[in-house]
Amino acid sequence: MAKQLDYHTIRQVFDRFHEAEPEPKGELEHLNAYTLVVAVALSAQATDAGVNKATKALFEIADTPQKMLDLGEEGLTQHIKSIGLYRNKAKNVMRLSRILVEEYGGEVPNSRAALESLPGVGRKTANVVLNMWWGYPSQAVDTHIFRVGNRTGIAPGKDVIAVERAIEDNVPVDFARHAHHWLILHGRYICKARKPACPACLIRDLCPFEEKTEVS
């Protein structure tokens, strides 16, 4: 775990991220708040690309909670069986769809507590939905962001909640909305777990990570 970077260095980091990609986007494909909830819930222990492949046809016929209930658990299972843990995920999607219909009028609630009360929706999923759909500056910490936060000193922490709070506390507010997308994309494509692509890194000179890969 690297030492916490100072404010001015963190500001430089996000200035560079912003210059390279002013409007970073999440890679899960969705049509509305409901399909975003479903996609994020399905993405646990799966790749975004794998989820997108499975949900393309699914969302064409079931883009609301009621349509998902009409499709039924077996129908849903046939669409998502290429995704890990698909049977348990199918049960959760059906349960959360029923709750949305019966308790929220078929609409997705926009409070973290209400979202977290849905089956298969944890804090990370709730934060992704709040950020991507409603533009709230919530920070969804996954394995990529946890790694980047600790390696770089942008947001060091012993667990995901600590890293989430460090991002909220230390990232300048004008970068907060997109912070989690910049960090996740950086972790996914540059600051990778086994062999980070340090020679291609925008923030190499600002990063205190001691085991940088050599310039090629």
Side-chain angles (χ1 to χ4, degrees):
M1 184 189 300
K3 182 180 177 182
Q4 174 72 56
L5 292 182
D6 62 74
Y7 170 82
H8 296 290
T9 305
I10 292 177
R11 179 147 207 108
Q12 281 184 277
V13 166
F14 284 95
D15 274 332
R16 293 184 190 182
F17 285 156
H18 178 267
E19 185 176 353
E21 182 58 71
E23 293 287 331
K25 304 292 184 186
E27 296 182 322
L28 281 174
E29 295 173 2
H30 59 282
L31 305 174
N32 51 34
Y34 171 70
T35 54
L36 178 58
V37 170
V38 172
V40 181
L42 293 176
S43 71
Q45 299 180 318
T47 65
D48 287 1
V51 172
N52 289 340
K53 185 176 181 180
T55 58
K56 183 175 177 60
L58 171 66
F59 291 160
E60 289 178 358
I61 60 173
D63 61 351
T64 70
Q66 186 59 59
K67 289 179 182 177
M68 190 68 75
L69 293 175
D70 293 342
L71 177 63
E73 188 173 325
E74 268 312 305
L76 170 59
T77 299
Q78 291 306 308
H79 283 278
I80 66 170
K81 59 186 178 182
S82 61
I83 300 174
L85 306 175
Y86 70 93
R87 290 200 180 279
N88 189 55
K89 290 177 180 178
K91 291 181 187 301
N92 283 335
V93 169
M94 300 308 293
R95 289 168 59 209
L96 74 83
S97 298
R98 186 164 300 284
I99 291 171
L100 290 176
V101 169
E102 294 179 352
E103 298 183 21
Y104 296 98
E107 299 295 325
V108 175
N110 62 352
S111 82
R112 184 185 284 113
L115 286 166
E116 285 191 58
S117 73
L118 299 173
V121 176
R123 187 177 183 87
K124 185 186 80 170
T125 297
N127 281 341
V128 170
V129 175
L130 291 172
N131 183 289
M132 289 181 65
W133 192 255
W134 283 286
Y136 181 75
S138 52
Q139 307 302 328
V141 179
D142 68 351
T143 55
H144 296 301
I145 295 178
F146 185 81
R147 179 175 65 254
V148 172
N150 278 290
R151 268 185 185 169
T152 62
I154 293 169
K158 292 182 179 180
D159 55 44
V160 294
I161 296 296
V163 171
E164 179 183 325
R165 288 175 178 161
I167 296 171
E168 292 175 346
D169 289 345
N170 298 304
V171 173
V173 68
D174 45 321
F175 295 124
R177 179 181 174 188
H178 292 314
H180 111 268
H181 281 130
W182 281 315
L183 292 172
I184 194 172
L185 293 172
H186 190 66
R188 185 173 289 165
Y189 298 111
I190 301 296
C191 196
K192 294 178 280 191
R194 294 189 178 180
K195 190 177 180 183
C198 298
C201 179
L202 288 173
I203 61 170
R204 179 186 171 93
D205 58 314
L206 304 175
C207 175
F209 182 55
E210 294 181 355
E211 300 171 40
K212 292 187 176 76
T213 52
E214 295 298 319
V215 176
S216 55

